[in-house]
Amino acid sequence: TMGNWLVNHWFSAAVLAAWLGINIFLFTYYFLFFDRDEQYFYTRAILGSALAWARASAKCLNFNSMLILLPVCRNLLSFLRGTCSCCRRTLRKQLDHNLTFHKLVAYTLALLTAVHTIAHLFNLERYNQSQQATDGSLPGILSKMHLQDNKWLNPIHSNQTTVEYVAFTTIPGLTGVIITLALILMVTSSTEFIRRNYFELFWYTHHLFLVYFAGLVIHGIAGLVRGQTEQSLAEVHPYHCAEYLTQRDQNCTHSCCKDPEFGSIPAESWKWVLAPIILYVFERILRVWRAQQKVVVTKVVMHPARVLELQMQKKGFCMEVGQYIFVNCPAISPLEWHPFTLTSAPEEDFFSIHIRVAGDWTERLIDTFQLETPRIEVDGPFGTASEDVFQYEVAMLVGAGIGVTPFASILKSIWYKFQQADQTLKTKKIYFYWLCRDTGAFAWFNDLLASLEQKMAESGKADFLTYRLFLTGWDTSIANNVALHFDTAMDTVTGLRHKTIFGRPMWNMEFAAVAAAHPRSVVGVFLCGPEALAKSLQKSCHQHSSLDPRKVKFYFNKENF
């Protein structure tokens, strides 16, 4: 299975290996540099190895801060996806892992911040001890040098200073505390649970990234951690002169009499993050510009189970199957943008989304539309994996709950391609699985499936689409109703020809059946649903793919929001 994963995800694996390699290189190189370089001989005399830990983690923090914004530049990714439309689909598919990479970099930042902070707490403690030392030791003597001019080594100049005082009154201390707090809040408020249930909390807290980057750029300006200056190294090199510092008399005459002089390490965080910040500013300007373009809501449909359908038009809007848009309603909140999968087909003269209640914002939006039609702003569309569905001879589509939305677009598009006898359609067979807790959620999708069923039967392609609806949560009244009508041609839950199956799918059996029916095909498996389902489908894809290149292969694709 590892071999299979590498074949399917070679680009992701290469990016991951490069990222990990650069992190390891930066950490090791700078750790050894600060641990051995002669310029920091006296700094190490006070701080010991905590200096190397703090500086090496700082380099990696800069590198990862440079990367963190890139995966969330939606328009940049859309552009890349467009420019590599001629590339293999495996390469385009890797761009869907943007949020996974974003999270990985974020967790790495959190880990490195912990290392950096702990190292600096040790450093502050040692600076403090050295300043207070009266035993004539090297750290004590170094700490008393140049207190009147700007060539000092120890930033703590008085005996009354505490670690807390330095942390909250110096630029590095204060910015360090602020950006650490910002990072903690961003990481903790972006858990799956909070994003799904309290999106607003996640959305607003995540904008602390502005505080994070501002703090990061300012953080190193004061240059509290210092090294010996080039000129001073040439005059009094520590390898010759260090021993004389602790045993020097008043009328000193030899070449080591002069005190070593120290200068700060130039701040360089801004060099790392400048380019991505400029890119991200362009990204935000582009989003604002696109949002200003007028959107006309042509039709509002309220479906059962409080699902709202919006049909819209916008000049120059051009979509692909299974893409998504970001929607903003200024009347509810001028700052909040929420992602929704498009449920219309590219062949239609409008684009549509289906919205169910999933938090405060959606609740307010549905309530507002029941009273009036507010102004809507749209950013997008953005590409995800389902665009590739027509590239596979056989496609297995799996939607869980409202996760069926991208497949509404696909099934509609197939319906139009059949009507127009489109020659570009490579797909010969579609298997569609919808897993749902309650019958209410099936309602808006019923009409689409019913018209599709009828259309395919009329054009003699009734066997092109096989679909199964799995009802995962059901009560006794439904069960009794099903028992009464078991011999009818139509399904009692949905009114469709294909029966609703109660319980969860047995994926091994489903995959084995598809593999047996299409022994030489490449099968695309598309999911829009929870992570647990993704894991079991991915496992099934690996288990049922043949090692023989001429035989059946399953490729897994997942929607990412």
Side-chain angles (χ1 to χ4, degrees):
T1 57
M2 189 64 189
N4 261 2
W5 187 89
L6 282 171
V7 169
N8 292 356
H9 300 85
W10 63 269
F11 182 73
S12 286
V15 168
L16 214 56
W19 170 78
L20 200 59
I22 293 170
N23 269 305
I24 291 168
F25 167 77
L26 283 173
F27 195 91
T28 311
Y29 178 85
Y30 283 102
F31 188 93
L32 294 174
F33 176 78
F34 282 98
D35 205 42
R36 295 179 179 178
D37 194 74
E38 54 196 28
Q39 197 180 345
Y40 300 100
F41 181 89
Y42 289 124
T43 322
R44 285 194 299 277
I46 297 179
L47 302 179
S49 64
L51 168 73
W53 282 100
R55 300 306 302 176
S57 55
K59 295 290 176 186
C60 291
L61 275 166
N62 284 336
F63 171 61
N64 287 285
S65 298
M66 175 179 87
L67 298 178
I68 192 85
L69 287 176
L70 299 178
V72 288
C73 289
R74 301 194 291 261
N75 290 293
L76 175 74
L77 289 177
S78 244
F79 172 72
L80 284 176
R81 199 182 171 85
T83 52
C84 69
S85 56
C86 50
C87 322
R88 289 178 55 202
R89 66 167 166 254
T90 45
L91 185 61
R92 290 205 308 284
K93 210 165 66 180
Q94 306 309 311
L95 291 174
D96 290 342
H97 299 312
N98 61 324
L99 292 184
T100 310
F101 185 64
H102 176 72
K103 288 174 196 169
L104 178 67
V105 173
Y107 291 135
T108 307
L109 282 174
L111 176 70
L112 290 165
T113 300
V115 173
H116 187 71
T117 307
I118 291 165
H120 270 322
L121 288 173
F122 275 106
N123 288 338
L124 281 178
E125 196 48 54
R126 286 186 181 152
Y127 273 140
N128 216 10
Q129 284 169 357
S130 305
Q131 182 57 47
Q132 291 169 8
T134 52
D135 56 358
S137 62
L138 182 59
I141 288 167
L142 289 166
S143 300
K144 305 287 186 292
M145 279 179 191
H146 302 293
L147 294 185
Q148 267 60 55
D149 55 31
N150 198 27
K151 293 165 183 174
W152 46 265
L153 173 60
N154 190 332
I156 296 177
H157 294 175
S158 100
N159 287 351
Q160 276 69 55
T161 314
T162 63
V163 171
E164 292 76 21
Y165 179 82
V166 176
F168 290 100
T169 58
T170 61
I171 290 175
L174 195 57
T175 54
V177 169
I178 290 168
I179 59 185
T180 303
L181 284 175
L183 194 65
I184 290 169
L185 286 169
M186 282 190 285
V187 171
T188 50
S189 67
S190 58
T191 58
E192 184 82 9
F193 176 79
I194 288 176
R195 274 205 334 276
R196 292 275 174 253
N197 298 292
Y198 306 97
F199 187 88
E200 291 82 0
L201 180 65
F202 156 73
W203 179 260
Y204 288 116
T205 313
H206 239 61
H207 280 76
L208 286 170
F209 83 91
L210 296 167
V211 174
Y212 175 84
F213 279 101
L216 188 73
V217 169
I218 300 167
H219 185 60
I221 283 175
L224 292 195
V225 176
R226 296 184 149 198
Q228 199 172 351
T229 60
E230 293 289 338
Q231 189 189 345
S232 176
L233 268 178
E235 290 172 359
V236 282
H237 200 285
Y239 292 173
H240 315 304
C241 300
E243 56 188 296
Y244 291 105
L245 284 180
T246 49
Q247 49 195 32
R248 216 165 40 177
D249 47 26
Q250 291 302 311
N251 47 3
C252 168
T253 52
H254 55 77
S255 60
C256 286
C257 291
K258 195 176 176 193
D259 280 348
E261 294 173 355
F262 305 95
S264 52
I265 305 165
E268 52 171 41
S269 292
W270 66 271
K271 294 178 191 170
W272 290 84
V273 298
L274 186 65
I277 285 174
I278 290 170
L279 260 179
Y280 190 76
V281 167
F282 274 120
E283 164 82 19
R284 291 302 279 242
I285 291 168
L286 190 56
R287 285 186 201 177
V288 170
W289 175 71
R290 286 167 69 150
Q292 296 312 311
Q293 296 164 327
K294 194 174 188 310
V295 175
V296 181
V297 179
T298 53
K299 193 175 179 185
V300 180
V301 185
M302 196 67 209
H303 293 284
R306 268 173 81 74
V307 175
L308 175 75
E309 179 185 352
L310 297 181
Q311 294 185 6
M312 296 165 279
Q313 286 175 328
K314 180 179 174 180
K315 195 180 174 189
F317 189 91
C318 180
M319 67 164 284
E320 297 283 334
V321 158
Q323 287 188 307
Y324 64 95
I325 56 172
F326 274 79
V327 175
N328 169 270
C329 179
I332 296 172
S333 165
L335 293 173
E336 278 183 55
W337 289 83
H338 292 254
F340 293 98
T341 306
L342 290 162
T343 50
S344 48
E347 292 83 356
E348 290 171 312
D349 63 351
F350 62 86
F351 60 95
S352 68
I353 53 173
H354 285 71
I355 302 164
R356 64 166 181 150
V357 176
D360 301 346
W361 188 88
T362 44
E363 176 98 52
R364 291 206 298 271
L365 186 77
I366 290 169
D367 290 344
T368 308
F369 266 100
Q370 284 174 322
L371 301 169
E372 55 165 340
T373 304
R375 185 166 74 89
I376 289 288
E377 293 178 354
V378 166
D379 184 23
F382 300 105
T384 55
S386 346
E387 291 175 2
D388 301 333
V389 72
F390 305 122
Q391 306 301 313
Y392 293 93
E393 287 173 38
V394 180
M396 290 173 76
L397 315 179
V398 184
I402 198 80
V404 77
T405 41
F407 307 126
S409 174
I410 291 163
L411 294 172
K412 274 189 196 175
S413 192
I414 288 167
W415 186 64
Y416 285 113
K417 284 185 196 302
F418 268 130
Q419 275 184 315
Q420 295 154 10
D422 193 325
Q423 298 303 308
T424 60
L425 188 67
K426 287 185 188 174
T427 318
K428 306 280 187 288
K429 175 77 182 175
I430 283 189
Y431 294 89
F432 178 60
Y433 307 85
W434 190 13
L435 289 66
C436 204
R437 274 210 186 95
D438 63 283
T439 50
F442 286 120
W444 68 271
F445 205 62
N446 270 3
D447 306 338
L448 173 65
L449 284 174
S451 65
L452 208 59
E453 242 178 1
Q454 192 184 343
K455 192 75 203 163
M456 305 228 162
E458 283 170 13
S459 58
K461 299 267 188 185
D463 58 345
F464 175 82
L465 174 71
T466 299
Y467 60 85
R468 292 157 182 260
L469 308 180
F470 293 87
L471 202 58
T472 55
W474 53 297
D475 57 29
T476 47
S477 63
I478 298 177
N480 294 339
N481 195 14
V482 170
L484 280 173
H485 298 89
F486 193 73
D487 53 350
T488 55
M490 293 294 181
D491 188 84
T492 53
V493 177
T494 58
L496 295 162
R497 287 197 188 93
H498 288 237
K499 296 281 187 204
T500 300
I501 299 159
F502 295 94
R504 297 183 182 281
M506 308 284 282
W507 290 117
N508 270 341
M509 286 166 64
E510 301 294 345
F511 273 81
V514 172
H518 310 278
R520 296 186 180 281
S521 292
V522 175
V523 182
V525 179
F526 293 85
L527 165 72
C528 189
E531 204 54 50
L533 187 54
K535 287 198 174 95
S536 60
L537 285 175
Q538 210 157 6
K539 196 174 161 192
S540 297
C541 283
H542 293 327
Q543 282 174 350
H544 293 274
S545 287
S546 169
L547 290 172
D548 185 337
R550 292 162 300 180
K551 292 189 178 165
V552 71
K553 280 268 182 300
F554 290 91
Y555 285 99
F556 179 71
N557 303 260
K558 184 182 183 300
E559 289 291 328
N560 275 334
F561 287 147

